[in-house]
């Protein structure tokens, strides 16, 4: 077959594929509304009801970079139209501070939290002369803070990417997320309903993707630890789970669990695995009446399985992420929706792990 014919067929397939995705999204711009809220700033709310698995939105990023790449030069090369779209998103007053628990790569390490080294980096990028850098530093500093506050990280076939979107980046965080984000192609993400969603309900994602403890997914962590992790986005989470009352006894057990963090992170084999401490705390949880659906009991049981089998911790580092339900506790039982975690982060049928995405408080 002549090369020209092959190119035509390939082009036709690409057009057909794009049409199918658009058909699945079915007028995505009409499926949600951007509204102003009293406590959470701007938010996206469902304009109609959705069933679990429904595609709500397909969007291409305004800017996409390889994870860890500096956005300074890329932002300088954007068109005026792209800069205006970015400038409409939420902007913090400073860059997020570098913290050990967030890992390396904070933009503030390169530029300073207040942009102290901005002019130097602009000239070093090769996009600006020293004179031009002084003239453009104002709008670039705004866009850098927008980037830092709104970027989403995910993994594609080409490797880890970071992107900012005009609409997806406006999704707020909740420790009970009702939508998930899936890569749909180069610089593209799909917003998919993770549970049934009612009309008027806010669409929320889970920001962090990193596990803050061995074998413990962010959504299973206690409120104090979740809030500490979310400080990277410069806000205090007040979602329904974080505001739920907790019995004093449970709070004491969570404090005792902190003592397990260091020995668990240091464990490399069954010899130095703190199995006695794990079993002791598990017994205390049982005495307190915590069932297996509570995050602490489930975490400790999972650790027991790893420690007793002499398998390295990293072998099952995401084991709790595949739990059947989110944890429940106290008076919150009737309020918490029992989301299936495998619908959020794990596809059991083909064994593929979809990494949860993080973004920032985006307005």
């Amino acid at each position: 077959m002549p090369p020209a014919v092959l190119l035509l067929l390939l082009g036709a397939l690409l057009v057909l594929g794009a049409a199918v995705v658009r058909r699945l999204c079915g007028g995505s711009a009409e499926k949600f509304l951007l509204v102003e809220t009293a406590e959470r700033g701007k938010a996206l709310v469902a304009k109609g009801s959705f069933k679990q698995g429904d595609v709500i939105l397909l969007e291409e990023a305004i800017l996409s970079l390889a994870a860890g790449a500096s956005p300074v030069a890329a932002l300088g090369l954007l068109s005026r139209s792209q800069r205006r779209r970015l400038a409409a998103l939420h902007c913090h007053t400073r860059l997020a501070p570098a913290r050990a628990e967030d890992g390396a790569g904070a933009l503030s390490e390169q530029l300073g939290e207040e942009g102290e080294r901005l002019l130097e980096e602009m000239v070093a990028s090769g996009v600006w002369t020293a004179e031009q850098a002084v003239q453009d530093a104002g709008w670039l500093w705004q866009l850098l803070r927008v980037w830092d506050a709104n970027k989403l990280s995910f993994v594609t076939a080409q490797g880890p990417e970071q992107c900012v979107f005009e609409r997806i980046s406006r999704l707020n965080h909740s420790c009970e997320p009702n939508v998930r984000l899936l890569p749909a192609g180069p610089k593209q993400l799909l917003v998919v309903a993770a549970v049934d969603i009612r009309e008027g309900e806010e669409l929320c994602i889970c920001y962090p993707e990193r596990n803050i403890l061995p074998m413990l997914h962010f959504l299973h962590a206690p409120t104090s630890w979740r809030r500490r992790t979310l400080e990277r986005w410069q806000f205090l989470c007040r979602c329904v789970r974080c505001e739920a009352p907790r019995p004093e006894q449970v709070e004491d057990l969570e404090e005792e669990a902190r003592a397990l963090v260091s020995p668990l992170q240091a464990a490399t084999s069954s010899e130095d695995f703190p199995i006695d401490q794990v079993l002791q705390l598990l017994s205390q949880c049982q005495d307190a009446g915590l069932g297996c659906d509570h995050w602490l009991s489930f975490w400790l049981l999972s650790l027991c399985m790893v420690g007793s089998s002499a398998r390295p911790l990293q072998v099952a580092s995401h084991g709790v992420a595949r739990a059947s339900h989110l944890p429940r506790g106290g008076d919150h039982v009737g309020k918490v929706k029992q989301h299936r975690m495998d619908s959020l982060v794990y596809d059991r049928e083909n064994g593929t792990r979809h990494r949860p995405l993080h973004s920032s408080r985006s307005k």
Side-chain angles (χ1 to χ4, degrees), residues 294-317:
H294 190 275
W295 78 270
L296 186 51
S297 296
F298 195 99
W299 179 48
L300 294 169
L301 285 168
S302 300
L303 289 173
C304 287
M305 289 187 288
V306 175
S308 61
S309 64
R311 300 170 65 196
L313 268 179
Q314 52 266 37
V315 171
S317 61

Side-chain angles (χ1 to χ4, degrees), residues 60 112 164 214 268 297:
E60 183 171 328
V164 171
T268 58
S297 296

Side-chain angles (χ1 to χ4, degrees), residues 249 252-253 256 277-290:
Q249 189 176 17
D252 293 339
L253 291 172
E256 292 192 32
Q277 292 174 259
V278 171
L279 289 173
Q280 181 180 359
L281 186 54
L282 179 60
S283 177
Q284 292 177 256
C285 291
Q286 292 172 338
D287 292 341
L290 300 185

Side-chain angles (χ1 to χ4, degrees), residues 91-355:
C91 178
H92 290 146
T93 57
R94 57 183 175 83
L95 298 178
R99 305 189 309 167
E101 57 264 46
D102 296 326
L107 189 56
S108 58
E109 291 182 330
Q110 177 190 4
L111 302 175
E113 291 182 33
E114 305 292 339
E116 298 90 338
R117 297 181 291 277
L118 176 59
L119 292 177
E120 176 185 336
E121 291 294 330
M122 290 175 70
V123 175
S125 71
V127 178
W128 292 270
T129 64
E131 183 179 352
Q132 291 171 335
V134 173
Q135 295 175 350
D136 293 348
W139 63 259
L140 181 63
W141 176 235
Q142 179 188 2
L143 295 189
L144 284 166
R145 287 176 289 144
V146 168
W147 168 267
D148 192 53
N150 295 278
K151 64 177 182 279
L152 291 156
S153 299
F154 59 96
V155 178
T156 68
Q158 291 72 38
E161 291 186 17
Q162 291 183 323
C163 301
V164 171
F165 297 81
E166 186 172 11
R167 291 174 288 179
I168 292 179
S169 289
R170 292 189 181 275
L171 290 166
N172 283 326
H173 166 85
S174 174
C175 296
E176 286 191 44
N178 56 9
V179 298
R180 62 188 293 201
L181 305 179
L182 295 176
K187 302 193 298 182
Q188 289 185 325
L189 282 181
L190 279 173
V191 179
V192 181
V195 295
D196 292 347
I197 300 173
R198 299 187 303 272
E199 180 180 354
E201 188 175 345
E202 182 179 357
L203 305 177
C204 295
I205 58 175
C206 173
Y207 286 179
E209 67 173 358
R210 298 177 62 249
N211 286 358
I212 58 176
L213 289 173
M215 292 190 64
L216 184 63
H217 189 268
F218 171 83
L219 293 177
H220 288 79
T223 300
S224 59
W225 292 352
R226 295 199 310 272
R227 281 180 163 172
R228 171 61 181 164
T229 303
L230 289 167
E231 286 178 5
R232 180 259 176 269
W233 289 278
Q234 304 182 43
F235 76 98
L236 178 67
C237 185
R238 297 190 180 279
C239 71
V240 64
R241 284 190 65 209
C242 289
E243 293 290 271
R246 290 177 299 156
E248 182 177 341
Q249 189 176 17
V250 174
E251 293 182 357
D252 293 339
L253 291 172
E254 290 178 356
E255 288 298 321
E256 292 192 32
R258 291 179 183 274
L260 282 173
V261 176
S262 294
L264 283 172
Q265 292 176 333
T268 58
S269 65
S270 58
E271 285 74 21
D272 53 12
F273 189 89
I275 187 65
D276 291 337
Q277 292 174 259
V278 171
L279 289 173
Q280 181 180 359
L281 186 54
L282 179 60
S283 177
Q284 292 177 256
C285 291
Q286 292 172 338
D287 292 341
L290 300 185
C292 295
D293 58 350
H294 190 275
W295 78 270
L296 186 51
S297 296
F298 195 99
W299 179 48
L300 294 169
L301 285 168
S302 300
L303 289 173
C304 287
M305 289 187 288
V306 175
S308 61
S309 64
R311 300 170 65 196
L313 268 179
Q314 52 266 37
V315 171
S317 61
H318 301 295
V320 177
R322 298 195 287 271
S324 295
H325 300 91
L326 286 178
R328 297 184 296 179
D331 297 334
H332 197 37
V333 173
K335 299 178 182 178
V336 176
K337 298 176 183 176
Q338 295 301 295
H339 304 329
R340 291 192 58 82
M341 285 301 298
D342 54 354
S343 72
L344 289 171
V345 295
Y346 195 76
D347 185 345
R348 295 176 185 269
E349 294 182 0
N350 59 29
T352 301
R353 180 175 179 269
H354 300 297
R355 301 182 65 181

Side-chain angles (χ1 to χ4, degrees), residues 31-42:
K31 292 188 175 183
F32 56 85
L33 295 171
L34 178 64
V35 300
E36 189 75 36
T37 66
E39 297 182 352
R40 292 167 63 83
K42 291 185 174 66

